[in-house]
Every structure is written in structure tokens, then in C-alpha cells.
Amino acid sequence: MRLIINGDDIDSNAGTVRELLDEMKIVSGRVAVEVNLVIIKKADYESCKLNDGDKIEIVNFVGGGCEGYDCK
């Protein structure tokens, strides 16, 4: 099926959010997933079905600090 992931058209065999993350080799612990403007809870990744043409945003959380910046 065809999915739009972070703005890119992608062919995928994934039927659920969990399968999509596995297919993309993304560890779910540090990401947020939105399907058609709805944020999906991690507990629902297994049951959230994907459909042809779904628009998906996957955001990776990155920790950081103030090194090199004036964070006062």
C-alpha cells in the first residue's frame, strides 16, 4: 500500500503502526506517531490499522542540552 510518511510517498506492506515501525527499523521508545492528524498512543501501535493513502508523521525525540548555546 502507499503511505505518506513525513511528507514522502512510501510503499509499505505494514498493516499496523507497530509493523510500520518494525519495517522502518525504528525503535518505538523514543518516537511519537501521528496518523491522519491523530496522535497514536504507544499502547495502540499493535492495533492501529493503516490504510492506503494514510498520512503519517513520525517524530524522533532527541535529548540535548545547552552546549554551544546561551541557554540563560
Side-chain angles (χ1 to χ4, degrees):
M1 91 177 94
R2 201 87 171 135
L3 301 172
I4 301 169
I5 302 175
N6 295 350
D8 295 325
D9 286 340
I10 304 290
D11 285 318
S12 174
N13 294 315
T16 66
V17 169
R18 166 67 59 214
E19 290 173 1
L20 178 63
L21 294 175
D22 289 346
E23 186 178 274
M24 296 180 73
K25 297 182 180 13
I26 296 174
V27 178
S28 64
R30 295 185 60 103
V31 298
V33 179
E34 178 184 278
V35 178
N36 299 322
L37 302 177
V38 175
I39 296 172
I40 308 302
K41 295 178 184 178
K42 290 186 188 328
D44 296 333
Y45 285 2
E46 296 278 342
S47 61
C48 182
K49 303 283 185 200
L50 299 175
N51 298 295
D52 191 53
D54 279 349
K55 294 180 182 174
I56 301 164
E57 293 291 324
I58 302 173
V59 180
N60 189 21
F61 294 109
V62 178
C66 293
E67 186 174 331
Y69 298 98
D70 183 10
C71 296
K72 295 179 185 178

